[in-house]
Amino acid sequence: MSFINPIFLFAASAALLPILYHLIRKIRARKVKFSSLLFLKATPKALIRKRRLRDLLLLVVRALILGFLAVSFARPFIPRESIPLISQVQDKSVVILLDNSYSMQYRNFFERAKEEAVNIIDNAGNADEFAVVVFSEEPQQVSRLSDDIALHKNIVVNAVTVSNRITDLYKPLRLAEEILKDAKHNEQQIVLISDFQSNGWSSQFENWNIDQSITFVPIKIAEEEVTNSYINKFDLKNKRLGDAVAVQFGLQVGTQGTIIEQVKEVSLWINGKEVDRKMVEEEQSHQVFFQQMDLREGTYQGYVTLNEDNLTVDNFNYFSFMIEQRPSILCIDGSTEFSQSNAFFLENCFYMEEQSIYDFSVGRKDFLTPGLLNNYDVVFLTNVSSLTNQEVTLLKEFVEKGGGLIISFGEQVNLEQFSRNLIDLGIGSLGERIAVRTLELSNAIIGEVDLKHPIFSVFAKSGTGDIFRPKFREYVKIIPDTNSAVIGKYDTDDAFMIERILGEGKILVFTSTFNTEWGDFPVNEIYLPFVYQVAKYVLASSEMENSFVVGGTVPLHSEPGDEWEVNAPGENIFKVTIDETGTGYFRETEVPGNYRAGHGNEQKYFSVNVEARESDLTSKDEAEVYTAVTRSINKSDNEMKLTNLSNILEEEKNQKLWRYIMLFIIMLFLFETFFANRKVEAKSK
Amino acid sequence: MNYTPIKGSPIRFIDPEILSRISNMELLARKIVEGFISGLHKSPYKGFSVEFLEYRPYIPGDDPMRIDWKLYARSDRFFIKEFEDETNTCCHILLDISNSMEYASMNITKFQYGSILAASLAYFMIRQRDRVGLYFFDNQIRERIPAKSTQGHLITILHSLENIRPGTRTSMGRPFHELADSIKKRGIIVIISDLLEEPETIIDGLKHFRFAGNDIIVFQILDPFELTFQFKDIVELEDMETSERIIIMSDEAKEAYLYNLEQFRSILKKECGLLRIDYNILETNKPLDYALFQYLSKRSVRK
């Protein structure tokens, strides 16, 4: 038996002893000298004996009354562990957090974690309640707080699977706290079963610790020595060589763990075939490069893979890429003569015979027909006097579908009419033609560009200000529309280049000429890279992002209401419907691999990979985890004491032994009163 | 434990417990007597008077306090007033010194109380110019101080009272008879005892005194506990004289004890009444004034 206020027992002892002494004295016969026994007779011994027995009994009863009174004030209770046949464990509410991030795929970690969870559930008390939460990047409560042990066990054994996601330990702990707010027992626990990866601990733990009333139980699933190799980085570069493209696959192999093991080899698979295999050399910082030359137009999906180890999911990196037909450029030049025309200089830039990256053609305005335009990816519209409404419409449609339109000027341009064309295209209105020398007594140069813009970014790397060298004698002033943006200016502060994004394509307006008519740009060394950057830029928007991480969202674009069918790894097929904004989102990216989405004749290919940082299996030990969650090792002792005190008070409150003791005291008191006075009453009779 | 004075009487009383602390017997006796007399003069005392008898010429050695100055003023001669109580009475004080007299439930034993009473009486008697004798007895006469009336004799009496030690068992028959035979001249016999003996023995002795023509005053001195028997629970009592022991249940024995005591007192009272003996019970927690009053009353009747 234990007591809430044991001090009462000591106090009672101090008070009880003299009383007991007095009572004991009463039993024994006092020896007294008396003057004379003349008037007295000895009481019969039998009566004396009877009286002594009675006094002794009364002594015991009175001592019991005092003793039990003290015990009652001391508030006794019987600790559960002292009661036989009663469960030693107090009823509690438990949230089990089960780590199912992909690091738990290491060997049999996840199976062991499930066994731990099942073990905890199996050892539950009769009234214990549980909730199960699995977590990786996001926590997911798979069973609600209840005492249905069979259900929880079934879910853990059969329904819970490991994921391919990374670890975040903060969110599940917060969720567990929230769940326990509805707990019905005072004793509350959060059991965290995990490999306690170091990467799973964010800076959020610095500003938070678990509620002190909750017992935190970390269970680590780990091994003393871990080995793991994985693909840390992967990139893909392609280079067009005429109709063919050369693709370089570069990857870095990471090795982490307590024992670093050499990775033996890496394989490259494309479209289901192993195309190359290489050894990994430590001297080369574990970097491996593959090259595939002469890839033609088509879609390619594949992966690079390491030899098998204890964690295989991070040994693969999937990729998807498309090699399109060589881009075609149409140059419509309004010049009357080819020689020294814009087309002349542009053709000289783009045409490299078989090595040409682009297929360059020169045409006239009558090429602006739907049938012809669809054969091209980029249109240079240079020195054209004006456009008809139909031609404007055609060009707009061309751009909206993903084409690139680059407009420049010259002597043939009818400023008034062309201004209306530009307004229709949403570029802006034309101002006057500026003869710079007349105004400034010198030529204009490019005075200001956005060096972060893809067109000009290559010039920023040179660091020599090459972009500012070309001189321009004349240009056309443009007042840009609100839908267009000035991406470069002359030193006269007039627009040098204006951009407008229209649908899936872009329109660029260069306010001077691509020939030497209005400046010396074509003879400047930056002319060639500039022209290539411009062409490349207007072509880039057609490319879809094709690499995602597990759990990522893949956007699909088409007409509202369209339904796409997505083929996922494992021969799973999903449907995605495009919403009114023209976008549908595919979210079933839990499995790493190559995916294919199709709608009608349109196909899109993309790849999903795990995040490499989860492959670092460095972990914290249980003590570190406990400290990180509870914030203090010493505090846990106090927390335990507080929890114990709370449990003790609850137990005493439940048992209420003091009531029964008081009842017993009252009965004793009644007995004592009756018994002590019984002799007197008899005598009265 | 103060004596409750006679209703309406302003007599001062002295707590016997306080008196017991005064070791000087003479001082003690004087204090009691003078206090008594002082109180006596202030009260409209009824039933007692000291009457004027006659004048006689002053003889050197007489107490100058007794000179009647009014008569001197008239006659130019010294005369002494003689009162009725100035007759030369012989008093014998018998003090019980048996072991039972040593009993005390408070701070004063029955013997101490009896001694103070005897001293006070002797002091008072000699002051009245009576002759006083003192006899200590238990189962026999232990010490005799024959009656005299001088101041020096008083000193002797008081000294003996201070120094006497308790005796043994009580047996009044022999000492009473012995003394009754030895006293030739009739006088007043004052018996101070707890009388814890068979009543027949006591009565027999008293009869002998009475038949010799003596006036007898009996003071039975008892402790309050002896009169009320306030013991609790089981008690083992030991007789102070015989060392006999008995175990009693107090609440059971009390009733019988009180009954027996009452019976004893009734017998004594009745027999004393028949013999015209003053029988008085004194409790050791009561003042001594009452005893003195009893004595004086007896003297006046005798005259």
Side-chain angles (χ1 to χ4, degrees), chain A residues 548-560:
Chain A
F548 301 89
V549 293
V550 168
T553 301
V554 180
L556 298 168
H557 302 285
S558 69
E559 294 299 317

Side-chain angles (χ1 to χ4, degrees), chain A residues 94-98 100 129-136 138-146 151-152 155-156 159-160 171-172 174-183:
Chain A
V94 182
V95 176
I96 297 176
L97 303 177
L98 192 57
N100 73 336
E129 56 176 4
F130 288 89
V132 180
V133 173
V134 291
F135 70 93
S136 50
E138 295 289 337
Q140 182 190 3
Q141 187 174 359
V142 294
S143 67
R144 299 179 73 173
L145 201 61
S146 74
L151 172 68
H152 296 303
I155 286 172
V156 170
V160 170
K171 290 175 188 172
R174 294 305 303 268
L175 175 61
E177 271 193 324
E178 279 301 308
I179 293 170
L180 285 173
K181 281 181 182 173
D182 296 326

Side-chain angles (χ1 to χ4, degrees), chain A residues 168-171 173 200-209 628-629 631:
Chain A
D168 184 334
L169 287 155
Y170 177 75
K171 290 175 188 172
L173 286 165
W201 299 91
S202 66
S203 60
Q204 286 169 310
F205 281 98
E206 292 173 11
N207 299 317
W208 170 86
N209 59 276
V629 173
R631 295 301 292 280

Side-chain angles (χ1 to χ4, degrees), chain B residues 9-131:
Chain B
S9 166
I11 292 175
R12 290 193 306 156
F13 53 84
I14 303 168
D15 191 329
E17 277 204 50
I18 298 169
L19 290 177
S20 70
R21 296 183 207 136
I22 304 173
S23 58
N24 186 312
M25 195 63 79
E26 181 183 353
L27 181 65
L28 192 64
R30 189 191 314 153
K31 198 173 176 63
I32 291 169
V33 170
E34 287 175 356
F36 171 75
I37 291 173
S38 170
L40 206 58
H41 289 163
K42 290 174 188 172
S43 72
Y45 185 78
K46 293 177 182 171
F48 172 76
S49 65
V50 180
E51 292 181 2
F52 172 71
L53 187 62
E54 64 181 11
Y55 285 105
R56 67 170 174 81
Y58 173 80
I59 302 168
D62 284 335
D63 185 357
M65 294 285 291
R66 298 174 64 195
I67 295 173
D68 189 335
W69 294 103
K70 285 182 183 172
L71 185 58
Y72 170 73
R74 290 199 302 269
S75 66
D76 209 23
R77 289 178 72 182
F78 295 110
F79 286 94
I80 297 293
K81 273 189 176 176
E82 292 277 357
F83 291 92
E84 214 176 22
D85 60 349
E86 287 183 346
T87 53
N88 202 6
T89 305
C90 189
C91 301
H92 305 279
I93 300 174
L94 276 60
L95 181 60
D96 186 350
I97 62 166
S98 62
N99 262 334
S100 63
M101 288 294 285
E102 283 297 304
Y103 182 76
S105 65
M106 303 176 298
N107 290 333
I108 182 169
T109 65
K110 290 186 289 185
F111 174 74
Q112 285 173 322
Y113 191 90
S115 296
I116 296 168
L117 176 61
S120 304
L121 284 171
Y123 189 93
F124 192 72
M125 288 170 187
I126 286 178
R127 189 186 165 105
Q128 299 295 320
R129 300 177 76 82
D130 286 334
R131 287 182 293 145

Side-chain angles (χ1 to χ4, degrees), chain A residues 26 29-43 47-48 51-52 679 683, chain B residues 100 103 110 198 226 233-240 244 247-249 251-252 257 260-261 264:
Chain A
K26 285 186 73 166
R30 258 190 319 139
K31 290 183 184 170
V32 180
K33 287 198 175 182
F34 198 57
S35 52
S36 175
L37 301 181
L38 187 62
F39 308 118
L40 290 165
K41 254 195 249 179
T43 305
L47 209 59
I48 299 283
R51 178 59 175 272
R52 277 193 168 140
K679 175 180 164 300
K683 277 184 73 177
Chain B
S100 63
Y103 182 76
K110 290 186 289 185
E198 293 298 330
E226 288 173 318
D233 304 313
I234 300 172
V235 180
E236 185 177 352
L237 296 174
E238 180 182 336
D239 191 307
M240 290 173 76
E244 183 189 347
I247 296 176
I248 59 160
M249 275 173 20
D251 41 1
E252 298 281 332
Y257 172 88
N260 292 334
L261 177 64
F264 174 79

